[in-house]
Amino acid sequence: MAVQRISSGGEFEAMVGYCRAVVAGGWVHVAGTVGQGEDVVAQCRSALDIIGKALAEAGAGFDDVVRVTYMLPDRNEFEPCWPILAETFGANPPAATMIECGLIDPKYRIEIEVTAFLPE
């Protein structure tokens, strides 16, 4: 099986040397993704939109996500995102981890990384 690389054209992809997603061996690995917006909620929605497009290009969707990692510079900003995440993953919840850490730029309030299993 060939490896498929999916680019979203994001500015950091070329600068850092990565792609938005890689499809290999029946798995879709979506890189940590930040979104745009004035606050954590807007950025969460935006990041999920970018991730959803990458998953769709790979032939998968949020129902196929088996693992998600949330990274935030302030863990207190995570709770406002819960309703969005429950709406996105609620019917088919993946295993999840939230990590408090620094992100590439202080303007980013959340980064989301997912792994999905391709449907047969």
Side-chain angles (χ1 to χ4, degrees):
M1 175 180 278
V3 172
Q4 175 189 3
R5 290 177 171 79
I6 298 170
S7 174
S8 64
E11 65 178 301
F12 292 113
E13 290 180 35
M15 289 189 321
V16 177
Y18 75 97
C19 57
R20 176 63 42 218
V22 174
V23 182
W27 294 96
V28 183
H29 304 275
V30 182
T33 303
V34 296
Q36 301 301 312
E38 293 299 315
D39 62 19
V40 69
V41 171
Q43 289 184 22
C44 181
R45 286 187 195 284
S46 176
L48 289 170
D49 182 57
I50 295 164
I51 291 167
K53 289 175 183 169
L55 289 170
E57 188 171 337
F62 286 109
D63 292 354
D64 303 304
V65 172
V66 298
R67 182 91 178 130
V68 60
T69 303
Y70 306 104
M71 294 155 276
L72 295 91
D74 181 354
R75 67 180 175 265
N76 295 311
E77 292 187 323
F78 191 43
E79 189 171 351
C81 297
W82 293 356
I84 300 161
L85 302 173
E87 179 183 328
T88 302
F89 296 111
N92 299 286
T97 301
M98 192 284 293
I99 300 168
E100 185 176 38
C101 63
L103 300 180
I104 198 164
D105 187 309
K107 71 180 179 182
Y108 296 121
R109 307 311 306 157
I110 188 168
E111 183 170 340
I112 304 170
E113 173 186 83
V114 306
T115 301
F117 191 69
L118 281 173
E120 295 182 8

